[in-house]
Amino acid sequence: MAQTAQFNGSVTTLRGLATRPLTLALAAIAAMLIVGELLSPGFAAPSQIISQLTIAALLGIVAAGQNLVILGGREGIDLSVGGMISLGALVAGNVMQAENAAIPLALAVTLAVTFTLGLANGFGVTIMRIPPLVMTLGMYGVIQGALVVLTRGIPSGRAAPLLNDFVTNPVLLGIPGILFVWVMIGIGMTVFLRRTAFGLKIFAIGTNEEAAALAGISVRRTRVILFGLSGMFAGLTGFLVLGYTGNVFVGVGDQYILPSIIAVVIGGTSLAGGTGGYIGTMAGAVVLVLLQSILTTLNIDPSGRQIVFGATLLGLMLLYGRQRKLRM
Amino acid sequence: MTEHAKTAPSNHTSLTQRLRSFDLRRHTYLLSVVFFLILCGINIALQPSFLQPGVMVSNLSTFLPLILVSIGQTYVILASDIDLSVGSIVSLVNVATVSIIEGMGGTGGAIALGLTTGLGLGIAAGLFNGLCVALLRFQPIVTTFATGIIFAGLALWILPQAGKQVPATVWQTYGGSILGVQTVIWVLTLAVIFALVLARTRFHHALLATGGQMQSAFQTGLHVLRVRITAYALSGLFSALAALCLVGETASGDPLLGTGYTLSSISAVVLGGTALSGGIGGFIGSVFGAMILGLIDNVIFFARLPFEYQGLVQGLIVLLALAGGVFVSRR
């Protein structure tokens, strides 16, 4: 896996640059904008790009948490994000009840609830030693069940007008507030991962857990916090989804579960943990959203759209998602 | 299925010695049997008719599709891979089979062609997964998610909406009996015999070796590539079998029929004591795991819980069972 070595270090050769996941993702974005514009003039217009980025921001913010859990290694993955998003949107909407003044409280309660549930995932994975796939799948089932109890299947809770405006309408230079939030998360995540002690611990436990433990890192505590953060990012996404759609239905978060993982992988973070970063994941989220959008523009029936989407994902795997070859 | 690897205790060893040498990790499915018996007990208490042959056969035919998908998923997980496309394969085979049978007029020949095409399609889908994961070295989770999208798209293309019908002979045969034994019991028995025979083959030993330590297995000279591809093909085959059972059960086609089977089959395999990291476990546990999931639904239904609490209680029981299973077998 030559590209993983190059991803962290400086890229010196042209070939190294060309096979870097981030470069590939950016090239894919450019190619899709050109193809989209050719197929349907106006596809790459600024307003259209901004609306695509808004959708990508929602996916990108869940993927931030997913990114952290995956970087932490030991088959780290979070399938509960779908439930966390739905729950976050529901809690936020019910605390807010369309009142602008209640927005800060709603945000605080939402993040506290989903962070706590994320910590529960972390405890299951570390103390009980349940594989992350199983633990977070179980948590997803519990949250889905809890959502039905809370809502009785009826959509409830409404977004405050201010939140709605912030997510969907331009606040500055024609750009909606959610994109500023996303950029800040992007900068924050990068600084957090590359420049803080905790960020370096994540790479350490993701690369070699035993070595990290011997070096004095509290592996369990770090991993528990990673799952907590993943829950929190999903909760934040739920909060923003509420602003985007205005109200909530129970399964609103489900569509984000697997795309959040794919965005991370397309962005060059290895599912084995220990290598990668968030900027690539952001690009990965944009790639997925643009791809869906192009397929919608193409005006082919849903089955054809699905087939092309799946085939394109496989094609992307061919470009850089490959695993190490077995050697003698 | 590692029990046969263990040397049988000789007749001279005392019972205590035998108990002491008993290793839960060699019998990973035993815990799922205990869970299963407990749930059966609760079920009998809540539903006294549970032990009547008719009720048992009806329960079995409800559980059978998940049992079959879970057996297939076991092989992939034993090789330390995973198959997130099984649900889509179930949908694809279901609509393809129903469409062929109806399209060719529902004659005996059409039914035979539909069933064999369905099985072939399942194996082909599994082979495609295996080639992508083992030969092209794509990451299993992302790859089978992507192929699952493709298979689901193909299912929608073949039959955009639930509908079409198979002739009465199909569902009458499936719901009835052959040579005096219920058809569903035949299907389960034959599937179990197939899996038992498979567990004695060199392939199965190579499968456990591959899942346990892929690098070493490769260096020992095992055909790791062939083993992983075969495991995916088996997963496709068993998913197709499940789809054919659903044709017999529902007598019609539905492009979204398989949606729930992917994650349930993984839960069933884990409940059955097979390690997601590969190399440890076997299909027997998965059979019990799938029946446990079905019995949990039964118990919740007959416990007359308020409707809105059913999902939450089910989620909690499944999470506790998964956690408990992993917790005990890791001691």
Side-chain angles (χ1 to χ4, degrees), chain A residues 184-234:
Chain A
M184 274 159 56
I185 289 175
I187 296 168
M189 278 283 286
T190 306
V191 171
F192 173 67
L193 285 172
R194 303 286 172 198
R195 293 280 177 269
T196 65
F198 192 89
L200 297 178
K201 281 182 193 172
I202 299 172
F203 285 100
I205 67 165
T207 312
N208 189 332
E209 195 177 302
E210 278 80 33
L214 289 172
I217 294 172
S218 171
V219 174
R220 281 186 174 182
R221 191 169 59 196
T222 309
R223 188 162 283 133
V224 170
I225 293 172
L226 288 182
F227 277 95
L229 289 174
S230 178
M232 203 185 74
F233 273 116

Side-chain angles (χ1 to χ4, degrees), chain A residues 129-130 133-134 137-138 142 145-146 149 152 258 262 271 303 306 310-311 317-318 322-323 325-328, chain B residues 82 136-139 142 145 149-150 152-153 156-157 215 218-219 270 276 308-309 311-312 315 322-323 326 330:
Chain A
R129 293 192 287 168
I130 305 167
L133 188 78
V134 177
L137 181 59
V142 172
V149 175
R152 287 157 203 270
L258 289 163
I262 310 271
L271 276 179
S303 64
Q306 274 197 6
M317 291 290 101
L318 190 63
R322 301 180 69 180
Q323 300 188 304
K325 192 172 177 165
L326 290 169
R327 284 180 200 285
M328 281 296 170
Chain B
I82 201 156
L136 298 175
R137 307 196 307 278
F138 294 175
Q139 207 287 327
V142 183
F145 170 64
I149 295 177
I150 298 177
L156 276 175
W157 177 66
Q215 181 71 29
F218 179 74
Q219 286 171 340
V270 174
L276 274 181
E308 65 265 28
Y309 285 93
L312 178 62
L322 288 170
V326 173
R330 290 256 176 116

Side-chain angles (χ1 to χ4, degrees), chain A:
Chain A
M1 224 180 212
Q3 73 256 34
T4 35
Q6 284 156 354
F7 189 66
N8 268 334
S10 58
V11 179
T12 45
T13 63
L14 199 62
R15 191 172 177 278
L17 190 69
T19 53
R20 212 173 125 170
L22 180 59
T23 321
L24 277 170
L26 292 175
I29 291 169
M32 279 191 285
L33 285 175
I34 293 167
V35 171
E37 181 67 32
L38 289 175
L39 290 170
S40 145
F43 185 85
S47 64
Q48 187 60 24
I49 289 180
I50 282 175
S51 78
Q52 296 294 325
L53 285 176
T54 304
I55 301 171
L58 295 171
L59 175 58
I61 294 169
V62 209
Q66 193 71 262
N67 204 167
L68 290 175
V69 169
I70 292 174
L71 276 177
R74 210 208 243 176
E75 298 161 8
I77 204 158
D78 190 350
L79 297 184
S80 69
V81 289
M84 299 271 193
I85 291 172
S86 306
L87 183 68
L90 182 79
V91 169
N94 278 290
V95 174
M96 203 176 296
Q97 293 296 2
E99 293 290 334
N100 282 341
I103 291 179
L105 178 68
L107 181 62
V109 173
T110 304
L111 296 187
V113 168
T114 50
F115 183 67
T116 311
L117 287 171
L119 289 181
N121 274 333
F123 281 120
V125 167
T126 54
I127 312 286
M128 312 270 298
R129 293 192 287 168
I130 305 167
L133 188 78
V134 177
M135 179 65 213
T136 57
L137 181 59
M139 178 62 83
Y140 171 72
V142 172
I143 295 177
Q144 289 300 101
L147 285 171
V148 177
V149 175
L150 292 171
T151 62
R152 287 157 203 270
I154 306 157
S156 72
R158 280 180 31 240
L162 197 62
L163 177 65
N164 215 321
D165 280 348
F166 182 76
V167 175
T168 53
N169 293 337
V171 292
L172 189 68
L173 304 169
I175 298 169
I178 185 173
L179 291 184
F180 290 105
V181 172
W182 195 25
V183 169
M184 274 159 56
I185 289 175
I187 296 168
M189 278 283 286
T190 306
V191 171
F192 173 67
L193 285 172
R194 303 286 172 198
R195 293 280 177 269
T196 65
F198 192 89
L200 297 178
K201 281 182 193 172
I202 299 172
F203 285 100
I205 67 165
T207 312
N208 189 332
E209 195 177 302
E210 278 80 33
L214 289 172
I217 294 172
S218 171
V219 174
R220 281 186 174 182
R221 191 169 59 196
T222 309
R223 188 162 283 133
V224 170
I225 293 172
L226 288 182
F227 277 95
L229 289 174
S230 178
M232 203 185 74
F233 273 116
L236 176 61
T237 306
F239 180 82
L240 294 168
V241 164
L242 174 74
Y244 188 72
T245 57
N247 55 17
V248 191
F249 62 98
V250 168
V252 70
D254 292 359
Q255 53 180 318
Y256 292 96
I257 302 174
L258 289 163
S260 72
I261 299 165
I262 310 271
V264 172
V265 173
I266 291 178
T269 297
S270 158
L271 276 179
T275 45
Y278 184 59
I279 302 295
T281 301
M282 293 173 83
V286 177
V287 167
L288 285 183
V289 169
L290 281 181
L291 182 57
Q292 286 280 22
S293 171
I294 283 194
L295 294 176
T296 314
T297 312
L298 277 178
N299 207 12
I300 42 180
D301 60 315
S303 64
R305 211 183 296 161
Q306 274 197 6
I307 295 168
V308 177
F309 185 67
T312 313
L313 285 182
L314 280 185
L316 286 170
M317 291 290 101
L318 190 63
L319 282 178
Y320 51 81
R322 301 180 69 180
Q323 300 188 304
R324 193 182 286 116
K325 192 172 177 165
L326 290 169
R327 284 180 200 285
M328 281 296 170

Side-chain angles (χ1 to χ4, degrees), chain B:
Chain B
M1 281 306 296
T2 51
E3 73 267 39
H4 56 275
K6 183 187 156 198
T7 51
S10 77
N11 293 332
H12 302 291
T13 51
S14 69
L15 185 67
T16 47
Q17 267 179 315
R18 266 197 238 179
L19 281 176
R20 207 170 295 146
S21 67
F22 187 81
D23 184 354
L24 193 61
R25 264 171 296 184
R26 289 200 181 277
H27 299 270
T28 47
Y29 63 89
L30 279 183
L31 198 70
S32 63
V33 177
V34 175
F35 272 140
F36 173 75
L37 292 176
I38 293 172
L39 279 166
C40 281
I42 299 173
N43 222 316
I44 292 166
L46 292 170
Q47 182 199 8
S49 65
F50 182 73
L51 288 175
Q52 284 173 14
V55 175
M56 283 176 76
V57 167
S58 127
N59 274 337
L60 181 61
S61 61
T62 310
F63 303 165
L64 190 55
L66 182 60
I67 292 176
L68 294 172
V69 178
S70 306
I71 293 177
Q73 183 76 266
T74 312
Y75 297 114
V76 178
I77 290 181
L78 280 177
S80 78
D81 291 320
I82 201 156
D83 191 347
L84 296 182
S85 71
V86 285
S88 303
I89 297 179
V90 169
S91 303
L92 176 58
V93 172
N94 174 265
V95 295
T97 303
V98 172
S99 300
I100 289 173
I101 293 176
E102 203 199 60
M104 292 185 62
T107 59
I111 293 169
L113 184 72
L115 298 183
T116 45
T117 310
L119 287 180
L121 201 57
I123 296 172
L127 281 175
F128 182 68
N129 282 332
L131 287 174
C132 287
V133 170
L135 186 66
L136 298 175
R137 307 196 307 278
F138 294 175
Q139 207 287 327
I141 292 178
V142 183
T143 305
T144 54
F145 170 64
T147 58
I149 295 177
I150 298 177
F151 301 151
L154 286 172
L156 276 175
W157 177 66
I158 293 173
L159 188 66
Q161 275 159 353
K164 297 207 173 182
Q165 279 193 339
V166 293
T169 44
V170 174
W171 54 264
Q172 278 168 353
T173 311
Y174 183 74
S177 49
I178 302 170
L179 300 175
V181 178
Q182 299 284 333
T183 310
V184 287
I185 297 178
W186 276 111
V187 176
L188 180 65
T189 311
L190 291 176
V192 168
I193 290 174
F194 176 84
L196 277 174
V197 170
L198 197 66
R200 313 264 150 183
T201 59
R202 283 169 61 186
F203 158 76
H204 201 268
H205 286 280
L207 180 69
L208 294 178
T210 299
Q213 195 43 266
M214 199 175 289
Q215 181 71 29
S216 310
F218 179 74
Q219 286 171 340
T220 318
L222 290 177
H223 282 280
V224 169
L225 186 74
R226 200 189 294 162
V227 167
R228 292 173 79 190
I229 293 175
T230 311
Y232 272 107
L234 283 169
S235 175
L237 171 67
F238 275 98
S239 301
L241 268 178
L244 299 186
C245 290
L246 286 165
V247 171
E249 178 101 0
T250 64
S252 65
D254 180 355
L256 303 174
L257 188 65
T259 314
Y261 287 100
T262 303
L263 295 178
S264 298
S265 69
I266 295 171
S267 297
V269 171
V270 174
L271 278 174
T274 297
L276 274 181
S277 49
I280 301 169
F283 82 95
I284 294 180
S286 307
V287 171
F288 282 100
M291 291 196 287
I292 288 171
L293 290 176
L295 285 178
I296 289 175
D297 284 354
N298 256 6
V299 165
I300 288 169
F301 179 77
F302 284 105
R304 296 176 199 284
L305 283 171
F307 164 74
E308 65 265 28
Y309 285 93
Q310 292 186 0
L312 178 62
V313 173
Q314 186 200 25
L316 282 171
I317 296 176
V318 172
L319 181 60
L320 284 177
L322 288 170
V326 173
F327 198 61
V328 174
S329 62
R330 290 256 176 116
R331 292 279 99 173

